[in-house]
Amino acid sequence: MAKAIESGSIFENTKKLFHHALKHVKLSEDALKILEKPKSVLEVGIPVRMDDGRLEVFTGYRVHHNDLLGPTKGGIRYHPAVTLDEIKSLAFLMMMKCAVVGIPFGGAKGGITVDPKHLSRKELERLSRAYIRAIYEFIGPDVDIPAPDVYTNEMIMGWMADEYNKISRKLTPAVITGKPVSLGGSLGRDDATARGAYYILKEYAKKKKLDEKKLTVAVQGFGNAGFHIAKLLHADGYRIVGLSDSQGGIYTKNGRLDPDSIMKVKQHKGKLEGVYCVGTVCDIIDHKKISNEEVLELPVDILIPAAIENQITGRNAGKIKATLICEIANGPATPEADEFLRNKKTIIPDILANAGGVTVSYFEWVQNRAGNYWTLERVHKKLKEFMVNAFNGVTSLAEEKKIDLRTAAYAYASGRLLRAIEAKGTTEYFRE
Ligand code: NAD
């Protein structure tokens, strides 16, 4: 693994964007040394008895990047491509994301190298509980708080919190967020990521005095985040003209796509179709089928990557026509694409655009610790406050320094982290 890092890994690539921002924020040598390295890295073997009697030992990880601003926070990913290098990179991004929105958490991430689609429900439960037994000492409500990520969900978070409680013989709901509401989860967590991005887009439109009803939008990825952002924008009159999922996309040049109707049919038929439904009756609207690559290149005002990483690359960056890109996916643009697009388009970067999820996770942790549960209206109001504050902070810095929003977001987050490091003393202070 160390070799992969030396030879230019995902972790090193992620840090390239941060290094670019360092031209615009004065970080001391001390701060750089602390921010560059993970605080602790845990690799575990997780033995699980499979349904056919075999014993499998899965590999799992948990990385704390640092806890400068509070206990570490980050999701748990189940995917066959999970590596320590990837988990380190995601923990670093979580540190930056929490610092951008100003929530009192450091960055962490966890994962298991597994294809959950090949496990039975019972095997999935055994694996999830065994993972918690393996990392038990590494997590806790004042230490490190996991949450869902790719291919983990609220039921899995419920199993994990339950296993933690059994080991500790105490009920500690604040140890994990993204739990079902009936087990101490927060209202509003389901669409929090999309809603956070929605509040930012609304603020951007207000700032630029854009006529929202005239704006056209394409969304890549029609999962949790992609569906909710399309639905929220559609309800406000934005014209959703392109949508895609892993199997391909649909585009309507003159019409508008109705996210609810399309989701209804997708759940039934397993694929996207250009339909408009009233009750149970669905009509086909004028549209054409397009590929996943074509969705990114549509002639729209706003492009929202909400699928997976590395979709916008040096190869297709020049073909993007949207003037605004709002990154809901983590790392949808490679460093090469970012460099090409940086001064040509407005990019609302992932660490700002998709921070709504971790912000509502923070609200869940606060509610669990207080034993006092919020209404949905309160969750939305507080989420809007955090997202708009972060957006205003980042855009002001971008305007002041004449830099792009990604660079500004990293610089803004680094400023917060720097102040926490320097509050404990600097080299100058100790050099008497
Ligand atoms: P999801 O699994 O619910 O949805 C992903 C969607 O992307 C699916 O519809 C899938 O079909 C589609 N997809 C996969 N490969 C694709 C491709 N090549 N082209 C087009 N579509 C493709 O996941 P999600 O929770 O919606 O997360 C989406 C992205 O947002 C991820 O990058 C995730 O890390 C990021 N994110 C999500 C949250 C959250 O709270 N859900 C928070 C922060 C960041």
Side-chain angles (χ1 to χ4, degrees):
M1 198 50 60
K3 194 159 173 256
I5 291 170
E6 280 156 25
S7 63
S9 64
I10 314 173
F11 184 45
E12 293 305 320
N13 268 340
T14 303
K15 286 196 292 183
K16 275 186 195 160
L17 300 171
F18 163 63
H19 287 152
H20 176 76
L22 292 182
K23 292 178 192 148
H24 306 278
V25 63
K26 277 203 176 61
L27 273 197
S28 59
E29 279 288 306
D30 296 0
L32 201 55
K33 281 183 208 156
I34 292 176
L35 295 183
E36 290 252 272
K37 275 206 189 313
K39 179 173 179 265
S40 17
V41 172
L42 179 68
E43 177 174 333
V44 290
I46 313 165
V48 176
R49 185 67 63 189
M50 308 303 278
D51 291 347
D52 63 5
R54 273 179 311 120
L55 186 79
E56 279 257 3
V57 182
F58 295 91
T59 304
Y61 307 99
R62 187 77 192 165
V63 172
H64 300 167
H65 191 81
N66 76 48
D67 56 2
L68 283 164
L69 301 179
T72 57
K73 182 94 190 78
I76 296 168
R77 174 171 291 203
Y78 286 179
H79 197 278
V82 160
T83 60
L84 178 57
D85 181 36
E86 179 195 43
I87 297 296
K88 279 179 164 176
S89 137
L90 293 165
F92 176 84
L93 281 179
M94 283 305 297
M95 166 186 76
M96 287 294 171
K97 201 179 292 187
C98 294
V100 170
V101 273
I103 55 179
F105 287 142
K109 203 81 182 185
I112 303 178
T113 314
V114 61
D115 187 347
K117 289 180 188 155
H118 291 153
L119 300 184
S120 71
R121 288 176 186 172
K122 288 177 205 137
E123 288 167 343
L124 193 63
E125 188 197 2
R126 288 199 285 270
L127 174 67
S128 304
R129 289 182 181 276
Y131 177 66
I132 291 301
R133 289 196 294 278
I135 67 164
Y136 177 77
E137 278 88 8
F138 215 59
I139 60 172
D142 296 310
V143 182
D144 174 31
I145 306 122
D149 190 65
V150 174
Y151 292 141
T152 53
N153 56 26
E154 59 170 37
M155 182 178 265
I156 295 177
M157 295 307 112
W159 293 333
M160 288 182 169
D162 185 54
E163 191 65 24
Y164 186 89
N165 292 339
K166 280 186 178 155
I167 301 169
S168 62
R169 293 184 173 271
K170 276 190 284 202
L171 287 180
T172 313
V175 66
I176 283 173
T177 61
K179 302 177 295 293
V181 172
S182 54
L183 297 179
S186 177
L187 292 172
R189 179 63 184 86
D190 51 349
D191 73 352
T193 301
R195 188 172 284 275
Y198 163 78
Y199 290 140
I200 284 185
L201 283 172
K202 300 280 291 175
E203 206 59 23
Y204 178 85
K206 191 165 93 185
K207 195 174 162 68
K208 298 281 174 193
K209 299 191 171 53
L210 302 176
D211 181 353
E212 294 177 283
K213 305 264 184 296
K214 289 201 178 128
L215 295 175
T216 53
V217 183
V219 183
Q220 186 200 38
F222 200 57
N224 177 292
F227 164 66
H228 282 113
I229 189 72
K231 185 177 156 94
L232 287 163
L233 293 175
H234 174 77
D236 272 6
Y238 286 68
R239 202 151 69 81
I240 312 294
V241 295
L243 287 175
S244 73
D245 68 9
S246 56
Q247 297 175 53
I250 49 179
Y251 171 54
T252 176
K253 190 171 174 210
N254 301 313
R256 57 175 66 227
L257 300 172
D258 173 41
D260 272 331
S261 300
I262 293 166
M263 183 50 91
K264 204 183 280 177
V265 172
K266 180 181 154 97
Q267 278 168 348
H268 185 59
K269 293 192 178 171
K271 58 180 184 171
L272 298 183
E273 285 197 2
V275 289
Y276 181 73
C277 308
V278 178
T280 51
V281 181
C282 299
D283 285 329
I284 302 282
I285 62 157
D286 182 29
H287 74 282
K288 69 174 190 171
K289 302 258 181 226
I290 54 172
S291 69
N292 259 319
E293 290 72 42
E294 286 171 318
V295 132
L296 299 169
E297 299 161 16
L298 287 174
V300 290
D301 299 304
I302 306 173
L303 171 66
I304 306 183
I308 49 171
E309 62 278 4
N310 296 337
Q311 293 300 292
I312 306 175
T313 64
R315 199 174 41 78
N316 62 3
K319 297 183 192 159
I320 289 181
K321 300 181 191 66
T323 47
L324 174 65
I325 302 170
C326 179
E327 295 183 340
I328 290 192
N330 278 315
T334 62
E336 197 186 353
D338 184 67
E339 200 174 328
F340 177 83
L341 293 169
R342 194 173 290 153
N343 299 314
K344 299 183 179 69
K345 311 278 181 191
T346 301
I347 303 178
I348 303 176
D350 48 6
I351 58 167
L352 173 62
N354 71 27
V358 72
T359 304
V360 175
S361 271
Y362 163 54
F363 300 161
E364 180 175 336
W365 180 80
V366 168
Q367 292 170 70
N368 289 155
R369 293 174 72 102
N372 177 349
Y373 288 85
W374 300 2
T375 61
L376 186 59
E377 290 68 34
R378 183 162 181 208
V379 171
H380 289 171
K381 184 168 171 276
K382 293 298 287 178
L383 175 62
K384 185 172 179 185
E385 215 173 280
F386 273 81
M387 297 310 294
V388 171
N389 278 344
F391 176 74
N392 288 338
V394 170
T395 46
S396 301
L397 188 65
E399 282 158 15
E400 180 197 319
K401 305 247 181 202
K402 298 191 174 29
I403 51 179
D404 62 284
L405 292 179
R406 189 188 314 277
T407 308
Y410 275 101
Y412 187 71
S414 303
R416 273 210 172 105
L417 292 158
L418 178 66
R419 288 191 288 282
I421 294 168
E422 294 195 341
K424 294 177 193 160
T426 59
T427 298
E428 289 67 40
Y429 175 80
F430 287 111
R431 200 181 275 147
E432 295 167 35

